[in-house]
Every structure is written in C-alpha cells, then in structure tokens.
Amino acid sequence: MLGSYRGQSFEEVGRVAVAHTPVQSSMLDVEFAQHSDAGRVRGHNEDYLGYVLPKTPAEARTHGWLFVLADGVGGHDRGEVASRAAVESLLSGFGRAAGGESHGVLLPRLVQAANTLVFETGLAANSVGPAMATTVVACALRYDRAAVANVGDSRCYLFRHGHATPLTRDHTVASEQVRLGVLSAKEAAESPARHMLSRSLGNDLFVNVETSDHQVHAGDVLLLCSDGLHGAVPATDMARLISHATDLIATAQELVALANVRDGSDNISVQLIRVRSVERVGMYRGRPYKLR
C-alpha cells in the first residue's frame, strides 16, 4: 500500500517496508527497506523492528534518522513483548531527545533506558526474577556519520564496493571465548555456545552497551539483522546480493528467503539502509560546521 509516515512517502507489503527521504542537495539522504519473517519452524515472530525519520530538513540536521532491530530471546517468556518494548522505548526516547545531541552519547543512554524498561516489565510479570530478555541493535545517521549501538548478537554491517564490514561484535559465550583465545573463529562458528548470549537487555538492571561511530559515503548500504539471517547466510553472500541491489524491497525479501532455504529454524529480520548522499561536516567544540 502507499501512505505517509512522518512526512515521508513509503510503500509497504506485509511486513516489508521501503521509504524514501526527500532528495536535497548537500544533505544526508537515505532510502530503506525492512522485512521480518517467522521462519519455517517457529510458530510466531519474536523479532521487532522500528525507525524514526526526520519530518523536515532542519530535523534531519538536529536529530537525523534512527533504525532499531531487536530479537526476543528464545526460551524466555514473552520474548516478543521484550523486543517490542525495547524498540518502542528507543524510538520514543530518540524523538524526545534534544536537538544536536551527539548520537554516540544518546544511543547508549537510550539502550540503557530500554534495558531498565524490559527488566522492570519482566519483574512485574514474574516476581521470582526477570521473565524476559532481548537483543538490540540500533543505528542513528546524521550528516555523514553513522552511530551504532548493540547488546547481544543482532548485528550491523556496512557494505561498500561489494565488501562487508561488521560494525558490531556478538555478545555470546563463543565470541568471548574467541577473544580470550580459547576457541578459533572456525571452532566458535560450530560451537553450541555460539547462541548463548553473554549480554542481553532485561537480565539485569544495568547493561554494558557497545557503541561505535563511522563515516558513511554515498552508495554505502547498512544492514541490521537478527541471527536468523547472519547465522544462515555468510556476509560474502549478503554482499553479493546487496552489491547488485536496485530494489531494496526485493533485496530484503531475497535475503530472508535465502535464510529460510538454508536454515529457517529462527525468526529472520532485516533492515537495509542505502545512503544516497551525505553532508560533509567537521566538528569544533561539539558543534558541526560544513566542510567546503
């Protein structure tokens, strides 16, 4: 169907959405698509996705764009409640944030607030301890920068010139063992501990949020995904599909379909963000200035 969201045009088919922001010279401009599927085994979908788009060119500079994906932890009660609560908390907090605040400062604060909400909601539902948990990955864009925050094993990748660069690291037992030199990367990929989270939202009142900041260029594609995708489809295969993408809706559907063919035992969610143009800026005492 065709409709509007916060002043932007978008198309939606089922749980697939694509949006185009207004094209203006010398401004960050992006298009995106998202798709979520329950997979071939599970009866319901515990993943949840969301986004905030700027309403005006001025808001594009003061606030920017936000994309968020969460994967409710399997084996916990009401994982779908946890993922939805986390995403909606981030979206709401981003919309209320002061204009011009650094995304590198804002995102971890918003993720921490989402963690508190999930933790307290879980306690209210189960007096003996936390009853729900979720992963989360968020990407905020403004000017020519992308800030990324994550907890758990939902990932963000940057695709540039046909190559994939992971912008997050998994918070799993197996991943920690690789960093400690206990396992090789190949051994970790086959380890039963590769799905055991070492961090997630909702397990404790406070959580360690990992953040990073990256420069983006016109033509870059950012991908946020749950482990239902990256556990079934190697980054090289994702890069092959994305490098030839002309239609982001079709590419999001192709990625999910490929994950279902190769595995499909988990929920699969994807957000694709293509950078169409950027606004080059420098920073002086925390304030942006345009580069000529």
Side-chain angles (χ1 to χ4, degrees):
M1 68 178 179
L2 294 176
S4 63
Y5 181 82
R6 300 200 171 198
Q8 314 298 326
S9 65
F10 74 98
E11 301 170 68
E12 190 168 36
V13 182
R15 296 192 68 186
V16 183
V18 63
H20 305 271
T21 64
V23 177
Q24 298 199 14
S25 61
S26 301
M27 282 195 67
L28 176 63
D29 180 46
V30 307
E31 60 176 323
F32 80 96
Q34 64 181 32
H35 187 28
S36 187
D37 186 79
R40 297 188 295 112
V41 175
R42 299 194 176 186
H44 65 291
N45 196 343
E46 294 186 329
D47 292 355
Y48 199 79
L49 308 87
Y51 51 85
V52 177
L53 310 180
K55 304 182 190 74
T56 64
E59 198 169 280
R61 290 188 169 103
T62 59
H63 290 78
W65 288 251
L66 177 68
F67 300 91
V68 189
L69 182 151
D71 176 2
V73 176
H76 286 66
D77 294 338
R78 302 170 70 193
E80 66 276 14
V81 176
S83 60
R84 180 168 185 160
V87 171
E88 292 184 345
S89 175
L90 265 85
L91 301 184
S92 176
F94 189 82
R96 296 193 308 268
E101 182 173 1
S102 165
H103 285 165
V105 174
L106 175 62
L107 282 189
R109 188 175 78 245
L110 296 182
V111 173
Q112 188 63 249
N115 176 75
T116 301
L117 174 63
V118 174
F119 178 80
E120 292 179 345
T121 303
L123 283 181
N126 181 6
S127 60
V128 300
M132 59 182 68
T134 184
T135 72
V136 71
V137 59
C139 178
L141 296 106
R142 185 171 55 196
Y143 299 120
D144 61 348
R145 311 298 302 183
V148 179
N150 77 296
V151 176
D153 63 354
S154 294
R155 294 181 182 176
C156 180
Y157 290 93
L158 171 67
F159 294 89
R160 180 179 294 163
H161 305 311
H163 299 286
T165 302
L167 303 185
T168 55
R169 62 184 184 124
D170 293 349
H171 302 141
T172 63
V173 172
S175 181
E176 299 293 344
Q177 289 174 330
V178 171
R179 282 191 283 275
L180 292 171
V182 176
L183 294 179
S184 67
K186 182 178 179 181
E187 289 170 333
E190 300 170 354
S191 169
R194 69 187 184 279
H195 298 303
M196 295 174 58
L197 296 178
S198 56
R199 295 185 216 172
S200 62
L201 297 191
N203 274 331
D204 296 291
L205 185 57
F206 299 100
V207 68
N208 185 10
V209 184
E210 191 155 346
T211 60
S212 58
D213 181 80
H214 311 272
Q215 187 174 56
V216 293
H217 303 273
D220 286 353
V221 176
L222 293 152
L223 166 69
L224 278 65
C225 65
S226 60
D227 63 341
L229 178 71
H230 69 71
V233 182
T236 51
D237 290 349
M238 297 182 204
R240 177 178 51 81
L241 286 172
I242 290 171
S243 65
H244 296 96
T246 56
D247 182 339
L248 288 187
I249 287 181
T251 303
Q253 292 172 325
E254 288 171 8
L255 287 167
V256 170
L258 183 58
N260 267 322
V261 167
R262 295 188 177 176
D263 185 6
S265 63
D266 200 355
N267 304 151
I268 309 159
S269 294
V270 174
Q271 287 181 314
L272 286 172
I273 305 111
R274 178 155 51 204
V275 179
R276 299 201 289 187
S277 64
V278 299
E279 181 175 8
R280 293 289 177 218
V281 299
M283 299 296 291
Y284 179 71
R285 294 184 177 179
R287 299 181 65 86
Y289 64 91
K290 189 164 184 174
L291 296 176
R292 298 185 181 275

